[in-house]
Amino acid sequence: MPRLRNSLIAALAVLFAPALFALDLPQNPTMPARTAVPGTINYIEGSAAIDGQPLPANAVGSATLQPGQEISTTRGRAEVLLTPGIFFRLGDNSAAKMVSPDLTNTVVNLEHGRAAVEVDELFQANDIHVIEDNVPVQLVKPGLYEFDADRGSVMVFNGEAAALKPNGKFVAVKDGHILNVGAAAAMKTAKFDENGQEQSDLYRWSSLRSDYLAEANAQIAGQYGGGAYAPGWYWDPYMWDYTFLGAYPFYSPFGWGYYPLGWGGGFYGGGWGFRGHRGYYGGGYHGGSGFAGGGFHGGGGFHSGGGFGGGGRGR
């Protein structure tokens, strides 16, 4: 069972500290930055803001959440990149604060409303936590997670999470289970029927975003040679967002196929549901990705070719 790192404990202090960073927009609004870090704004639909400052369309791909900054929506949604292969999606009338954007210790606090997290790849060096109702929840495996701060619930459609109990121990939340983090005394999980569960608007929007990102992946995967580049975020100028390119082909939790680096074509739009059938998800996570040897090439880090490559060749 995972442990809380000292860096996570220290990062929690950011929740009560004022934001010290301003919104950083590009000099040329038509050419956003070609690198991405945890907290990069990847998509905006409707009304969204950072610390109350409305996000314009040209903020996509360039604006980033700094420690202590809050992203909020009214009638809108927003997608934020975390570590490579992990998308944080904020629903309508919701707000989340970036606690720690560190590559090896990424922490986001959902203050109110709903958020979904799609985890397509999880490297060994990554610690990903979403805090809800002051309870840190670590995402342990690739999959799909939905958080509802107003109801105090954490749903694991696929994957596994671990919530820190008041006694310092973790409770595992496995696929098909829901946890009420507000019930601090009990903190017990319960099963729910994934196929019978009513799909939320956020769920359906996340599925659509995953579809678009798979299409973006198919558009640019062949532009980067697999041996010369490392898995990470890569900018698609046609879809105007970052998508994830891994070392191997894989399916998202919604069943959309992703090409690996260096493949000029692939299996976009395919995918069978996990447990071997099509159904509620319209496909599912096959868990066949992974980066050879785990972790990052060259010890991790950024590269100018489009994200957290760590040893990849810059453009």
Side-chain angles (χ1 to χ4, degrees), residues 82-86 103 106 117-129 138-143 145 159-161 244 250 285 289-291 294-296:
L82 298 184
T83 59
I86 301 181
L103 186 60
T106 312
V117 185
E118 177 182 331
V119 181
D120 295 328
E121 180 66 281
L122 189 61
F123 296 100
Q124 291 181 354
N126 297 139
D127 274 344
I128 311 295
H129 291 83
Q138 183 172 357
L139 308 185
V140 180
K141 296 180 179 180
Y145 306 84
E160 183 176 344
F244 178 68
F250 67 93
Y285 188 80
S289 54
F291 185 21
F296 297 94

Side-chain angles (χ1 to χ4, degrees), residues 7-267:
S7 52
L8 169 61
I9 297 172
L12 296 181
V14 177
L15 290 173
F16 308 100
L20 302 177
F21 299 87
L23 179 62
D24 183 22
L25 293 179
Q27 295 286 332
N28 182 352
T30 65
M31 292 293 291
R34 288 299 185 268
T35 57
V37 296
T40 297
I41 308 302
N42 201 47
Y43 187 80
I44 304 167
E45 181 178 295
S47 176
I50 290 181
D51 286 349
Q53 182 179 352
L55 283 166
N58 66 337
V60 170
S62 58
T64 59
L65 287 172
Q66 303 294 335
Q69 284 191 320
E70 177 192 79
I71 182 168
S72 60
T73 61
T74 50
R75 297 185 63 181
R77 303 181 179 97
E79 181 178 270
V80 181
L81 303 180
L82 298 184
T83 59
I86 301 181
F87 303 87
F88 180 90
R89 300 186 177 111
L90 196 64
D92 290 296
N93 300 302
S94 303
K97 179 178 288 188
M98 175 59 72
V99 179
S100 170
D102 188 84
L103 186 60
T104 59
N105 180 50
T106 312
V107 186
V108 180
N109 179 54
L110 181 62
E111 298 182 314
H112 67 82
R114 304 181 77 161
V117 185
E118 177 182 331
V119 181
D120 295 328
E121 180 66 281
L122 189 61
F123 296 100
Q124 291 181 354
N126 297 139
D127 274 344
I128 311 295
H129 291 83
V130 177
I131 300 173
E132 181 179 301
D133 198 16
N134 296 319
V135 176
V137 179
Q138 183 172 357
L139 308 185
V140 180
K141 296 180 179 180
L144 179 66
Y145 306 84
E146 192 165 307
F147 297 82
D148 189 332
D150 298 335
R151 296 175 54 193
S153 65
V154 177
M155 298 180 70
V156 179
F157 289 93
N158 188 27
E160 183 176 344
L164 183 66
K165 300 173 69 173
N167 61 6
K169 297 182 179 180
F170 284 91
V171 55
V173 191
K174 299 187 178 181
D175 64 306
H177 285 73
I178 185 171
L179 174 69
N180 182 4
V181 298
M187 290 278 284
K188 294 182 179 180
T189 65
K191 292 190 67 175
F192 69 91
D193 181 3
E194 304 105 310
N195 295 312
Q197 177 71 25
E198 180 182 356
Q199 297 180 9
S200 67
D201 289 339
L202 179 60
Y203 180 98
R204 291 190 291 272
W205 182 70
S206 290
S207 178
L208 183 61
R209 282 296 303 156
S210 186
D211 183 4
Y212 288 155
L213 290 162
E215 184 176 351
N217 167 278
Q219 288 176 334
I220 66 172
Q223 298 180 19
Y224 302 94
Y229 293 87
W233 299 121
Y234 289 83
W235 179 257
D236 178 13
Y238 313 106
M239 301 288 285
W240 199 257
D241 57 15
Y242 284 101
T243 188
F244 178 68
L245 296 180
Y248 302 98
F250 67 93
Y251 290 94
S252 80
F254 298 99
W256 306 115
Y258 282 71
Y259 292 120
L261 285 159
W263 279 32
F267 49 7

